[in-house]
């Protein structure tokens, strides 16, 4: 199905089910809740829903620890609910892409329970077991993404198993062909049910580099893009993906442009596209994301432009400012210090991203300009990554005080994205009639869907318009990309060209007014976040002009 590229013209909306809409008052978002909001998504104009995991899970890592791939978590509903969601979405012309988490399972998955039961269990080799290095030491220095060693000693057999994330998330051994076949069988089962594709969790971590596997006492390594990852993905493609008309997007931290060209090769031998995280690392520092640094615009432009031109003709970009692992887009890349700037900068960011080449992803609530959360203490936090980092950096290593760490959590913690959707201004924002599993942002009084839906000047209405333009102007989807002034520290300007037409995009990333903005000749204003264009670029102003190409 090489020619089916509907996903290039589509807009994806990510749902984090636990925080989207509760339907039964238990404080947890669920599948019936999502069904009840499909008309909202249809109104917004998106084409594809990416559903974060709804599988059976002990929920140690927000459902990314799966104990049965072919069962729905009772927190979210039943398999019938899931089938109804697919049916109701399809009825509205919406597609549904599921999260596929197969680098690891939960430690409660039947496969792991068998694997850990004895050294000669037939599933022993389905996970990665090693003897310790010398006496009582981990096999090597490999670190977990969620702090501490990536090796956990299992008392039953005295061996260690690998977990690149929480110790409750043992890594599958992809070198074992039976593992791969079991995964492919499970994928076909969901696709036969009518699922329209997969977002593949940390898919470039499934093949481990030899240093990671050696019980050598060595330092370990960064476990991405291992030696067989393309072999496995090409096999998966032959065994599963190419038999269906679907979209796939790989989550691939630490990929270069060159590697991305292979993962997302336009000959469809692996995936439709990938998520790269270079932009998401733009404000990290010595201790990774736990710092207060703000990004610099020239760096942001350099990254985005390099991916725009680097993938063109080779692979397809996915465009996103945020997801369930990242802080809120407007708080991080825009300005949430007052409501006027919040609205302007949310629209500006949307313009900047949606006019680029690639498939845009909207993370739930971004279309309302939802912000980070004023967390005050650890009791407000639910995310295992954040709790582990707090324990390591505050309690064990004394690198930060409580207050310093809380400031960092308010800036970078994953729970910023996981507070419930703000549907209205009532208590709990219309998310639940019960007690929400994580607190609703108090600013739901002013930032919510109910007040924005009918307001032509709202962030929501602006997203609607951007999505509509994409359907009308092929240059937005297919145009080539050039950036006239990479050095400008305040304005991000770029041009898209397709056939004889061109799109001129101008985004002011600052709260300053900027003089002497050159307006393209013979071009009309397609969209902007201020009522009337003037000679200057006002704070966080965004404008898109459309006209004849200035090049032959
Ligand atoms: C991915 C997910 C994240 C999860 C991790 C482990 O990065 O997006 O939420 O914690 O993988 O599955
Ligand atoms: Ca519920």
């Amino acid at each position: 199905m090489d020619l089916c590229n509907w996903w290039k013209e589509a807009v994806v909306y990510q749902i984090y089910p636990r925080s989207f809409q509760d339907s039964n008052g238990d404080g947890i978002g669920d599948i019936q809740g999502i069904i009840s909001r499909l008309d909202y998504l249809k109104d917004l104009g998106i084409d594809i829903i990416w559903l974060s995991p709804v599988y059976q899970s002990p929920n140690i890592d927000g459902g990314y620890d799966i104990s049965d791939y072919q069962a729905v978590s009772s927190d979210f509903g039943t398999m019938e609910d899931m089938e109804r969601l697919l049916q109701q979405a399809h009825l509205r012309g919406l597609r549904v892409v599921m999260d596929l988490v197969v680098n690891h399972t939960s430690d409660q998955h039947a496969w792991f329970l068998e694997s850990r039961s004895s050294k000669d269990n037939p599933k022993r080799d389905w996970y990665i077991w090693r003897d310790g290095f010398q006496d009582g030491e981990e096999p090597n220095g490999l670190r977990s993404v969620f702090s501490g060693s990536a090796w956990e000693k299992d008392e039953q057999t005295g061996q260690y198993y690998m977990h690149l994330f929480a110790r409750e998330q043992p890594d599958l051994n992809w070198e074992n062909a039976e593992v791969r076949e079991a995964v492919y069988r499970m994928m076909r089962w969901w696709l036969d049910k009518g699922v329209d594709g997969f977002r593949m969790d940390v898919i470039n971590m499934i093949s481990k580099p030899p240093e990671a596997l050696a019980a050598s006492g060595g330092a370990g390594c960064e476990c991405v893009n291992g030696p067989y990852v393309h072999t496995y993905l090409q096999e998966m493609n032959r065994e599963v993906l190419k038999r269906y008309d679907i979209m796939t997007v790989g989550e691939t931290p630490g990929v270069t442009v060159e590697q991305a060209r292979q993962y997302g090769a336009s000959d469809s031998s692996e995936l439709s596209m990938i998520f790269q995280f270079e932009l998401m690392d733009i404000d990290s520092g010595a201790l990774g994301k736990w710092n207060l640094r703000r990004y610099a615009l020239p760096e942001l432009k350099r990254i985005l432009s390099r991916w725009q031109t680097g993938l063109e003709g080779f692979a397809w970009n996915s465009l996103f400012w945020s997801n369930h692992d990242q802080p809120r887009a407007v708080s991080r890349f825009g300005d949430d210090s007052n409501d006027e700037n919040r609205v302007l900068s949310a629209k500006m960011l949307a313009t900047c991203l949606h006019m680029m080449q690639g498939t845009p992803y909207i993370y739930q609530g971004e279309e309302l300009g939802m912000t980070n959360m004023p967390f005050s203490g650890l009791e407000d936090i639910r995310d295992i990554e954040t709790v582990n980092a707090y324990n390591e950096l505050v309690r064990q290593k004394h690198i930060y005080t409580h207050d310093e760490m809380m400031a960092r959590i308010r800036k970078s913690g994953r729970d910023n994205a996981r507070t419930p959707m703000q549907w209205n201004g009532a208590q709990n924002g219309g998310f639940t009639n019960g007690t929400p599993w994580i607190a609703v942002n108090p600013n739901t009084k002013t930032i919510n869907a109910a007040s924005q839906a009918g307001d032509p000047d709202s962030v929501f209405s602006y997203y609607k318009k951007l999505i509509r333009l994409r359907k009308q102007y092929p240059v937005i989807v297919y145009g080539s990309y050039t950036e006239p002034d990479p050095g400008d520290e305040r304005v991000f300007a770029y041009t898209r060209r397709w056939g004889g037409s061109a799109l001129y995009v101008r985004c002011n990333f600052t709260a300053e007014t900027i003089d002497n903005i050159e307006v393209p000749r013979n071009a009309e204003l397609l969209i902007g976040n201020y009522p009337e264009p003037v000679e200057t670029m006002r704070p966080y102003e965004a404008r898109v002009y459309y006209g004849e190409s200035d090049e032959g």
Side-chain angles (χ1 to χ4, degrees):
M1 306 236 172
D2 286 344
L3 298 176
C4 288
N5 282 341
W6 45 266
W7 38 266
K8 288 189 177 168
E9 301 182 1
V11 176
V12 183
Y13 186 93
Q14 183 189 353
I15 291 182
Y16 193 72
R18 190 165 291 272
S19 304
F20 194 63
Q21 176 70 68
D22 179 20
S23 72
N24 61 355
D26 66 357
I28 299 174
D30 47 51
I31 297 172
Q32 286 296 342
I34 298 172
I35 294 171
S36 74
R37 295 296 183 182
L38 287 174
D39 289 330
Y40 169 85
L41 299 178
K42 190 66 194 165
D43 180 37
L44 178 58
I46 58 107
D47 308 280
I48 302 171
I49 296 168
W50 152 24
L51 207 57
S52 276
V54 293
Y55 310 93
Q56 183 179 301
S57 160
N59 194 34
I60 296 290
D61 180 25
Y64 283 87
D65 49 319
I66 296 169
S67 53
D68 186 342
Y69 290 112
Q70 283 161 258
V72 168
S73 162
S74 55
D75 282 353
F76 299 135
T78 62
M79 192 56 77
E80 287 70 53
D81 292 335
M82 191 57 211
E83 283 159 2
R84 181 131 188 283
L85 171 60
L86 290 173
Q87 180 217 355
Q88 289 297 312
H90 290 160
L91 217 61
R92 290 167 174 81
L94 301 172
R95 290 175 153 107
V96 180
V97 163
M98 288 183 85
D99 227 297
L100 181 80
V101 189
V102 290
N103 172 70
H104 44 268
T105 68
S106 160
D107 64 348
Q108 301 305 309
H109 195 290
W111 298 343
F112 188 70
L113 295 178
E114 276 194 51
S115 182
R116 88 184 323 176
S117 66
S118 76
K119 279 191 184 175
D120 51 18
N121 183 279
K123 290 211 167 55
R124 184 64 169 183
D125 187 48
W126 281 40
Y127 292 82
I128 302 171
W129 293 97
R130 289 290 181 277
D131 288 327
F133 177 67
Q134 295 170 349
D135 271 344
E137 269 181 50
E138 285 96 18
N140 59 47
L142 195 64
R143 308 279 300 166
S144 152
V145 176
F146 292 163
S147 308
S149 171
W151 294 100
E152 180 74 8
K153 188 169 183 181
D154 194 44
E155 292 309 331
Q156 221 155 312
T157 56
Q159 282 193 313
Y160 292 78
Y161 65 85
M162 181 191 286
H163 61 91
L164 292 177
F165 294 88
R167 69 164 67 86
E168 296 88 347
Q169 291 168 300
D171 281 53
L172 282 165
N173 178 17
W174 274 73
E175 292 191 16
N176 184 311
E178 288 177 16
V179 167
R180 304 201 300 275
E181 275 158 30
V183 168
Y184 303 155
R185 217 175 304 126
M186 174 273 285
M187 293 173 72
R188 285 192 294 257
W189 185 85
W190 278 108
L191 292 166
D192 290 339
K193 263 195 188 303
V195 161
D196 300 290
F198 295 108
R199 173 269 186 187
M200 302 187 184
D201 195 65
V202 289
I203 200 67
N204 65 332
M205 294 172 125
I206 57 177
S207 167
K208 319 296 183 207
E211 317 87 89
L213 295 169
S216 61
C221 60
E222 217 202 337
C223 257
V224 294
N225 313 312
Y228 307 115
V229 65
H230 296 292
T231 312
Y232 299 153
L233 285 176
Q234 284 160 21
E235 180 185 75
M236 179 196 283
N237 190 286
R238 285 192 306 274
E239 295 295 318
V240 186
L241 309 179
K242 75 160 198 251
R243 304 180 184 187
Y244 300 84
D245 179 19
I246 54 173
M247 181 198 105
T248 53
V249 51
E251 189 203 23
T252 54
V255 288
T256 62
V257 169
E258 290 64 37
Q259 288 162 339
R261 287 178 175 179
Q262 187 170 354
Y263 283 111
S266 43
D267 66 359
S268 303
S269 53
E270 297 188 18
L271 305 172
S272 313
M273 61 186 128
I274 58 141
F275 291 123
Q276 53 83 12
F277 288 88
E278 206 180 336
L279 183 67
M280 295 295 122
D281 295 333
I282 190 171
D283 48 5
S284 56
L287 295 169
K289 66 199 242 180
W290 305 112
N291 71 85
L292 299 177
R293 210 158 68 81
R294 189 169 162 94
Y295 74 94
L297 184 62
E299 171 78 356
L300 180 144
K301 296 186 351 175
R302 195 185 57 72
I303 293 170
L304 286 175
S305 293
R306 209 163 49 77
W307 283 90
Q308 285 289 298
T309 50
L311 293 195
E312 183 157 357
F314 296 96
W316 192 248
N317 268 293
S318 43
L319 309 169
F320 67 102
W321 288 123
S322 173
N323 63 33
H324 64 293
D325 295 328
Q326 303 292 332
R328 289 281 172 184
V330 72
S331 302
R332 182 186 198 176
F333 296 106
D335 180 350
D336 65 3
S337 64
N338 63 59
D339 210 55
E340 195 183 344
N341 285 358
R342 181 186 64 80
V343 170
L344 285 168
S345 64
K347 293 175 182 173
M348 182 279 288
L349 290 169
T351 313
C352 182
L353 201 79
H354 281 245
M355 292 295 131
M356 289 192 175
Q357 192 187 77
T359 299
Y361 288 72
I362 300 169
Y363 179 67
Q364 67 181 43
E366 180 188 319
E367 77 281 14
L368 306 174
M370 274 177 64
T371 67
N372 281 354
M373 177 77 173
F375 297 112
S376 56
L378 211 52
E379 66 283 358
D380 300 338
I381 303 298
R382 302 284 177 273
D383 168 30
I384 184 172
E385 180 193 44
T386 308
V387 171
N388 287 0
Y390 182 98
N391 285 332
E392 181 179 343
L393 300 175
V394 178
R395 295 193 169 128
Q396 290 154 20
K397 299 188 175 159
H398 305 288
I399 292 174
Y400 296 129
T401 64
H402 170 81
D403 289 346
E404 285 168 349
M405 188 65 192
M406 286 315 300
R408 286 159 172 80
I409 291 171
R410 284 190 292 273
K411 176 193 169 230
S412 304
R414 302 199 296 181
D415 279 345
N416 285 301
R418 300 177 184 185
T419 64
M421 263 299 272
Q422 296 171 198
W423 295 108
N424 61 41
Q427 204 201 352
N428 294 330
F431 164 68
T432 180
N433 298 325
T435 307
W437 71 277
I438 187 171
V440 176
N441 196 316
N443 66 20
T444 193
K445 283 190 206 71
T446 50
I447 305 172
N448 62 65
S451 67
Q452 294 194 28
D455 172 3
D457 293 328
S458 67
V459 178
F460 179 82
S461 297
Y462 195 87
Y463 267 84
K464 263 176 90 162
K465 188 164 180 200
L466 283 172
I467 296 170
R468 215 178 322 122
L469 289 172
R470 167 170 296 263
K471 314 284 176 204
Q472 292 163 357
Y473 293 85
V475 63
I476 298 177
V477 177
Y478 296 106
S480 65
Y481 176 95
T482 47
E483 189 194 4
D485 193 355
D488 192 314
E489 291 180 6
R490 298 181 296 176
V491 175
F492 192 169
Y494 60 82
T495 308
R496 306 281 311 281
R497 289 191 181 84
W498 191 76
S501 60
L503 202 65
Y504 303 93
V505 183
R506 305 275 182 275
C507 295
N508 179 0
F509 270 70
T510 74
E512 296 159 39
T513 297
I514 297 167
D515 296 330
N516 300 326
I517 276 305
E518 156 263 347
V519 173
R521 273 173 297 139
N522 305 323
E524 53 164 320
L525 186 67
L526 213 53
I527 186 171
N529 60 353
Y530 277 84
E532 291 294 328
V534 291
E535 303 284 286
T536 59
M537 283 285 272
R538 289 154 290 188
Y540 300 111
E541 181 158 7
R543 286 187 215 163
V544 180
Y545 293 94
Y546 174 77
E548 276 170 35
S549 175
D550 52 5
E551 277 180 5

